[in-house]
Amino acid sequence: MPKKRKNDPFKSFLNWLENGGNALDDEMQDALREETDEPSAPEPKKKAARKAAGKQTEEFRPKRAYADTWWYRLLAVIVAVVLIGLLLETVERMPRFGEADTLMDSELTEFYVKHTKEDTGALNIVTGIILDYRGFDTLGESHVLFIAVCTVLLMLSIYGERDEQNRLLQGEMERHFEPGDDVILQSAARVLTPLVFILGIYIILNGHLSPGGGFSGGAVLGAGLILYQNAFGYEKIEKFFTYKTFKGVSVCSLMFYSLAKGYHFFTGANRLDSHIPNGIPGNILSGGLLLPLNFVVGCVVACTMYALFTMFRKGEF
Amino acid sequence: MLEYIRAGVFAFLLLAGLFIQITAVIGVNRFRFSVNRLHPAGMADTLGLLLMALAAVVYTGFSPVTLKILLVVALFWIASPVCSHLIARLVRETDEKHFEAEAKEWKR
């Protein structure tokens, strides 16, 4: 049990810094408990009382074995400081951004830097790598996202409830605590949502030219959808984004990705000409398959984010 | 002379921003109720961010990047107060014992 140690200034400072007035919190909880006329355990014989109370009450007591001892806190602070120092040290050792001889210590990076532009037509080497050299990996990632949504759909869906009344009641309960029409949020969302969507579309379509790509742009789009839904409610968003839309967009995107990548692998493995022009690096319509693949990945990620949000919030689309 | 003034302004802005951020961190950990905690949290996102962004602007001088930094500040100033408002509203609507406990705290 932690003793009261008001005398040690360092320990009390740590205590103060890390969890405010925990001791006062306890007193207040006791006061609240007295008000509700619950019998509270006598203070001096707490250990014995806990043993006597058995396992059932012990489960609901907060466990404060390690986290409350002074050496644990001291150790935590030391570990955090050491880690922060190490990270800062590493940042100091890293090569400066944009220097010419940064990546010249590995054969693979040298190969990518030299050949990505002519192989894939992408100025953004990262996109060239993840969607062309390692396209199979990204294909799997997109499917993992889709499978995650399917699993959440299976586990959280309230469509399957046999009892119609029960289902409606559940939906009512979920909606009871949601903040409804909020004028402040709506006027902020009116400004922010178009900007968020434009930024997301820009990141996706410019993925082969500048930093970004399908995953980050899709995340931005999904965040925009969530913001719009929060501000204006389900009626507004169901005018253009329903469960049907989600199904169609996700499945079509993944099928297109699989087919295009399969075609690419087939022709590449058999040393055939794939008839997909790379274009002039730097143009928006260049990079062969990179632009449509980025678009497709962005669609999947945006749909996934919004679907996870609605499933966890409402239990249905 | 002008360089010294610029360095002084930069240092002042950066230190003021850091002071506000540190105050916010301590406040978020120190206060006991969620609405009280909202106050330092919102302060960090608006005033602290503004001061540090201005420090960056002073340090680099005027350039196209300046406009981007100011855009970031503008977007944060739109978004962050709305977040605080929503959290406060949610606390008021859902946490029934909250104000009771707080009143008890102020009485002592």
Side-chain angles (χ1 to χ4, degrees):
Chain A
M1 290 305 295
K3 283 176 268 176
K4 301 259 182 203
R5 41 190 124 68
K6 302 272 180 191
N7 307 331
D8 197 332
F10 178 64
K11 286 169 198 167
S12 57
F13 174 73
L14 275 182
N15 185 20
W16 172 82
L17 192 69
E18 281 180 13
N19 38 6
N22 222 5
L24 282 179
D25 260 348
D26 285 349
E27 284 173 27
M28 217 175 58
Q29 278 173 4
D30 284 346
L32 276 177
R33 206 182 298 147
E34 275 167 26
E35 195 163 83
T36 51
D37 288 327
E38 256 181 50
S40 60
E43 277 300 312
K45 291 190 281 181
K46 226 174 184 178
K47 235 177 187 174
R50 187 182 284 184
K51 269 185 189 172
K55 275 182 184 174
Q56 266 192 339
T57 47
E58 202 158 49
E59 273 175 18
F60 294 105
R61 268 174 223 265
K63 285 190 176 174
R64 38 179 63 193
Y66 289 117
D68 241 25
T69 51
W70 67 270
W71 52 267
Y72 182 85
R73 286 184 200 163
L74 192 62
L75 216 66
V77 170
I78 288 173
V79 166
V81 166
V82 167
L83 274 180
I84 291 169
L86 276 177
L87 288 175
L88 286 178
E89 173 71 18
T90 319
V91 168
E92 193 59 35
R93 276 161 195 267
M94 273 164 80
R96 289 186 71 81
F97 179 74
E99 266 184 11
D101 56 346
T102 296
L103 293 170
M104 288 306 168
D105 43 9
S106 153
E107 203 175 323
L108 190 64
T109 50
E110 205 178 330
F111 174 83
Y112 280 144
V113 169
K114 270 185 186 166
H115 294 273
T116 302
K117 201 170 159 186
E118 61 187 80
D119 277 357
T120 67
L123 288 191
N124 181 6
I125 296 176
V126 176
T127 303
I129 292 171
I130 66 165
L131 285 179
D132 197 290
Y133 292 115
R134 302 185 186 170
F136 207 52
D137 181 65
T138 313
L139 179 66
E141 280 166 17
S142 311
H143 282 93
V144 162
L145 283 177
F146 186 65
I147 291 167
V149 172
C150 291
T151 319
V152 172
L153 211 70
L154 279 177
M155 289 176 69
L156 292 184
S157 181
I158 58 174
Y159 269 130
E161 294 273 344
R162 288 283 166 81
D163 192 355
E164 183 74 8
Q165 202 70 31
N166 194 13
R167 187 169 80 81
L168 285 177
L169 192 72
Q170 211 170 336
E172 197 94 340
M173 293 260 295
E174 300 270 331
R175 227 155 292 156
H176 179 68
F177 288 116
E178 288 174 3
D181 292 333
D182 197 312
V183 182
I184 298 174
L185 178 61
Q186 282 177 359
S187 36
R190 251 181 225 118
V191 179
L192 286 178
T193 316
L195 293 177
V196 172
F197 274 110
I198 288 174
L199 178 68
I201 292 168
Y202 162 76
I203 290 176
I204 289 177
L205 292 187
N206 233 25
H208 55 300
L209 302 178
S210 62
F215 282 102
S216 37
V220 172
L221 275 186
L225 279 174
I226 292 172
L227 174 63
Y228 189 82
Q229 193 279 324
N230 267 320
F232 299 106
Y234 287 101
E235 291 83 19
K236 279 272 175 75
I237 205 166
E238 272 164 9
K239 282 178 184 167
F240 67 93
F241 197 96
T242 55
Y243 183 57
K244 240 179 185 174
T245 330
F246 163 73
K247 257 195 312 193
V249 170
S250 293
V251 172
C252 287
S253 301
L254 288 175
M255 271 172 64
F256 175 77
Y257 196 139
S258 308
L259 286 176
K261 216 59 219 175
Y263 171 72
H264 213 232
F265 284 138
F266 182 75
T267 53
N270 292 317
R271 300 187 182 279
L272 298 169
D273 189 10
S274 68
H275 296 291
I276 298 172
N278 267 348
I280 307 156
N283 283 8
I284 186 77
L285 286 177
S286 68
L289 275 175
L290 292 186
L291 183 60
L293 288 188
N294 257 332
F295 180 72
V296 157
V297 171
C299 286
V300 172
V301 173
C303 288
T304 304
M305 278 192 62
Y306 180 69
L308 285 178
F309 170 76
T310 35
M311 290 310 298
F312 275 108
R313 178 164 173 185
K314 204 170 97 170
E316 61 182 343
F317 251 94
Chain B
M1 189 60 204
L2 205 63
E3 285 298 303
Y4 284 112
I5 294 175
R6 210 173 95 172
V9 170
F10 164 67
F12 172 74
L13 286 173
L14 192 64
L15 287 178
L18 270 178
F19 171 73
I20 286 183
Q21 300 275 17
I22 291 171
T23 317
V25 168
I26 292 177
V28 167
N29 283 298
R30 180 89 179 87
F31 278 125
R32 232 168 290 159
F33 299 103
S34 41
V35 180
N36 292 356
R37 284 177 175 183
L38 266 181
H39 167 228
M43 199 172 63
D45 272 355
T46 50
L47 189 58
L49 184 81
L50 175 75
L51 286 172
M52 298 190 92
L54 284 182
V57 168
V58 170
Y59 183 71
T60 55
F62 192 80
S63 64
V65 181
T66 307
L67 295 177
K68 290 185 188 173
I69 292 175
L70 293 183
L71 184 68
V72 168
V73 173
L75 289 179
F76 258 87
W77 278 44
I78 295 173
S80 166
V82 178
C83 288
S84 304
H85 159 74
L86 284 176
I87 296 173
R89 189 179 160 177
L90 207 64
V91 169
R92 198 197 71 192
E93 283 180 3
T94 56
D95 197 355
E96 289 162 4
K97 284 196 175 173
H98 177 266
F99 291 100
E100 213 175 293
E102 195 164 13
K104 199 177 279 282
E105 172 69 13
W106 281 110
K107 254 184 233 166
R108 289 142 53 93

